[in-house]
């Protein structure tokens, strides 16, 4: 389950000025080495687009999130747009005037001219050489863009997203009014009469019953049909069990963790019941499971950079109110590399897929925090986010603190 992010996925930078919008976590410090290309400033080295490709010129206020929605119809496909423009070495920072290969036909609008026309998206005019033009001040203590070169890589796997779950309140579980109420196997056992069951159940166990732990290819029945608006070929995520989520620092219950157990496709719709097939299974699927609409969500891409130096940790005061590791998918106490976890920040706090955080353990009073490793955000909900631990020097525990990288 995901939500539309409240803030920008990516921040843009006004030419020669500060950022136009509050950047997402992990992007609070812009790249260094800004230089002039043509009539605009950029940190990147945009190539000349190949002949015949469709190119959009970035304007002030653009983000890859919004542009993916415009060109692909889905903002969560922004990694695909980034993949087409690998000269952008940090997806949190794009620059007005840079070209963006979209691969599709765009409206014949002179974006750069429109951007400099004085409208709401106007760029800061760049004086001609010799008229006092000076590059923006160099930003200190930021990784050189050369160190982040290379193609972005997936930060996880599809199973990390589709076979984990989400944290929400029961009232937030919208669209889950439908339930798996049976399967073909319910009637495949002999219809033994009561006398036969009494005679043989003691020797052979319960006679009759159904099949549990349903899997791919099994046929299920859903307690809704055309009258309730179900459509043929629609896809639904199957929710298995749930459990309360207790915040490891405050001790308060902040919601419930709803676990994904698979996906089904509606095959036939009758008036008040539908026939469906399991098309993806994360584990055993049981009768009584609830359904929510399935939404495709690509795995975010990123370019991992060296971990935070152990001799330069974040300040302890900063980490007192920082995000924390909230929940482990597999109820594991000591977490390590590739563990799937939740953090207690989400879309409402401008967390976005692809963000990186350094993981810290608070030390004894008077001593600096200890860097433990890093995690990358895979998917976001309203108040929480799903993440994968990408690096770990020591075991990670629930309640360890996070600092945007």
């Amino acid at each position: 389950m995901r939500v539309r992010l409240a803030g920008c996925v990516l921040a843009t930078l006004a030419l020669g000025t500060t950022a136009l919008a509050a950047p997402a976590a992990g992007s609070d410090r812009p790249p260094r080495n800004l230089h002039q290309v043509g009539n605009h400033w950029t940190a990147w080295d945009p190539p000349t687009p190949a002949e015949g490709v469709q190119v959009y010129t970035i304007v002030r206020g653009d983000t890859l999130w919004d542009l993916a929605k415009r060109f692909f119809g889905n903002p969560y496909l922004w990694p695909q747009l980034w993949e087409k423009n690998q000269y952008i070495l940090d997806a949190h920072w794009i620059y007005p005037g840079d070209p963006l290969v979209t691969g599709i036909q765009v409206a014949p609008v002179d974006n750069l001219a429109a951007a400099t026309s004085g409208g709401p998206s106007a760029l800061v005019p760049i004086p001609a050489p010799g008229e006092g033009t000076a590059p923006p001040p160099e930003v200190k203590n930021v990784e050189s863009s050369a160190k982040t070169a290379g193609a972005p890589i997936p930060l996880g796997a599809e199973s990390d997203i589709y076979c984990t779950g989400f944290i929400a309140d029961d009232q937030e579980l919208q669209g889950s009014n439908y339930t798996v109420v049976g399967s073909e196997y319910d009637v495949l056992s002999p219809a033994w009469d009561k006398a036969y069951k009494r005679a043989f159940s003691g020797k052979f166990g319960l006679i009759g019953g159904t099949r549990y732990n349903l899997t791919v290819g099994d046929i299920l029945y859903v307690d809704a049909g055309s009258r309730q608006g179900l459509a043929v070929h629609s896809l639904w995520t199957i929710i298995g069990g749930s459990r309360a989520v207790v915040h490891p620092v405050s001790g308060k219950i902040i919601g419930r963790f709803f676990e994904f157990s698979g996906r089904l496709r509606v095959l036939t719709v009758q008036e008040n019941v539908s026939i469906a097939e399991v098309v993806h299974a994360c584990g055993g699927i049981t009768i009584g499971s609830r359904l929510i609409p399935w939404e495709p969500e690509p795995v975010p891409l990123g370019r991992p950079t060296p971990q935070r130096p152990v001799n330069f940790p974040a300040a302890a005061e900063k980490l007192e109110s920082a995000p924390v590791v909230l929940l482990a998918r597999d109820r594991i106490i000591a977490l390590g590399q590739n563990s799937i976890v939740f953090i207690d920040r989400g879309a409402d706090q401008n967390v976005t897929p692809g963000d990186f955080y350094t993981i810290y353990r608070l030390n004894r009073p008077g001593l600096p925090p200890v860097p433990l490793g890093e995690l990358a955000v895979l998917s976001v909900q309203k108040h929480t986010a799903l993440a994968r631990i990408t690096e770990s020097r020591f075991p990670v525990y629930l309640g360890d603190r996070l600092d945007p990288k």
Side-chain angles (χ1 to χ4, degrees), residues 191-201 207:
W192 306 105
D193 59 31
K194 294 181 180 179
Y196 200 89
K197 290 182 180 180
R198 283 197 300 268
F200 292 97
S201 62
I207 296 177

Side-chain angles (χ1 to χ4, degrees), residues 353-388:
D355 288 344
F356 279 87
Y357 287 82
T358 301
I359 309 170
Y360 285 97
R361 176 83 41 76
L362 293 180
N363 212 328
R364 299 195 304 272
L367 296 180
V370 177
L372 304 176
E374 292 183 353
L375 62 76
V377 175
L378 302 179
S379 177
V380 296
Q381 294 83 46
K382 190 174 182 180
H383 302 298
T384 60
L386 178 72
R388 173 177 166 268

Side-chain angles (χ1 to χ4, degrees), residues 76-207:
Y76 281 90
L77 296 181
W78 67 264
Q80 296 184 19
L81 189 58
W82 187 22
E83 180 69 21
K84 294 177 181 291
N85 297 273
Q86 295 186 19
Y87 75 88
I88 301 174
L89 302 183
D90 183 344
H92 289 93
W93 296 90
I94 59 177
Y95 295 82
D98 276 356
L100 199 70
V101 173
T102 65
I104 60 175
Q105 182 67 45
V106 297
V109 176
D110 185 349
N111 297 295
L112 187 58
T116 56
S117 64
S121 299
L123 295 171
V124 177
I126 298 297
E131 296 183 4
T133 303
E138 183 178 8
V139 180
K140 304 294 184 180
N141 299 322
V142 179
E143 289 287 346
S144 168
S145 60
K147 292 185 179 180
T148 62
I153 62 173
L155 299 179
E158 283 192 350
S159 60
D160 296 333
I161 296 175
Y162 295 134
C163 282
T164 299
F166 61 96
I167 297 173
D169 295 327
D170 275 314
Q171 57 266 30
E172 292 180 304
L173 200 58
Q174 298 178 356
S176 63
N177 298 322
Y178 309 141
T179 304
V180 176
V181 293
S183 76
E184 287 183 322
Y185 297 101
D186 295 348
V187 296
L188 295 185
S189 297
W192 306 105
D193 59 31
K194 294 181 180 179
Y196 200 89
K197 290 182 180 180
R198 283 197 300 268
F200 292 97
S201 62
K203 294 182 179 180
F204 302 106
L206 178 65
I207 296 177

Side-chain angles (χ1 to χ4, degrees), residues 10-300:
L10 310 169
T12 52
L13 186 70
L15 301 180
T17 67
T18 56
L20 298 175
S27 63
D28 54 340
R29 294 181 296 187
R32 60 196 305 174
N33 302 328
L34 291 176
H35 56 281
Q36 193 169 359
V37 175
N39 68 339
H40 71 283
W41 290 98
T42 179
W44 316 131
D45 297 308
T48 301
E51 185 177 356
V53 301
Q54 302 301 323
V55 179
Y56 171 84
T57 303
I58 297 169
V59 301
R60 182 176 180 177
D62 278 342
T63 68
L64 293 189
W65 172 273
D66 293 325
L67 293 176
K69 181 178 181 180
R70 172 178 175 179
F71 296 126
F72 301 153
N74 185 347
Y76 281 90
L77 296 181
W78 67 264
Q80 296 184 19
L81 189 58
W82 187 22
E83 180 69 21
K84 294 177 181 291
N85 297 273
Q86 295 186 19
Y87 75 88
I88 301 174
L89 302 183
D90 183 344
H92 289 93
W93 296 90
I94 59 177
Y95 295 82
D98 276 356
L100 199 70
V101 173
T102 65
I104 60 175
Q105 182 67 45
V106 297
V109 176
D110 185 349
N111 297 295
L112 187 58
T116 56
S117 64
S121 299
L123 295 171
V124 177
I126 298 297
E131 296 183 4
T133 303
E138 183 178 8
V139 180
K140 304 294 184 180
N141 299 322
V142 179
E143 289 287 346
S144 168
S145 60
K147 292 185 179 180
T148 62
I153 62 173
L155 299 179
E158 283 192 350
S159 60
D160 296 333
I161 296 175
Y162 295 134
C163 282
T164 299
F166 61 96
I167 297 173
D169 295 327
D170 275 314
Q171 57 266 30
E172 292 180 304
L173 200 58
Q174 298 178 356
S176 63
N177 298 322
Y178 309 141
T179 304
V180 176
V181 293
S183 76
E184 287 183 322
Y185 297 101
D186 295 348
V187 296
L188 295 185
S189 297
W192 306 105
D193 59 31
K194 294 181 180 179
Y196 200 89
K197 290 182 180 180
R198 283 197 300 268
F200 292 97
S201 62
K203 294 182 179 180
F204 302 106
L206 178 65
I207 296 177
T210 186
R211 174 177 174 177
Y212 295 93
N213 295 328
L214 300 161
T215 189
V216 174
D218 287 339
I219 301 300
L220 308 179
Y221 303 114
V222 179
D223 64 348
S226 58
R227 190 171 182 178
Q228 291 77 25
L230 247 63
V232 175
H233 303 312
S234 60
L235 293 169
W236 296 80
T237 296
I238 306 170
I239 299 176
S242 69
R243 66 181 189 266
V245 177
V246 179
H247 196 281
V249 177
S250 69
K252 297 180 179 179
I253 296 178
I254 64 170
R256 298 191 67 82
F257 169 60
F258 296 91
E259 185 175 1
F260 295 153
S261 56
R263 187 183 318 140
L264 61 77
R265 175 187 290 112
V266 176
L267 302 179
T268 304
V269 174
Q270 300 177 6
E271 184 177 5
N272 292 306
V273 68
S274 296
I275 304 173
E277 178 186 11
V278 178
V279 295
H280 180 243
C282 306
I285 297 168
T286 59
I287 306 303
S289 298
R290 302 164 72 182
L291 304 177
I292 60 172
W294 179 78
E295 298 181 57
E297 186 168 1
V299 176

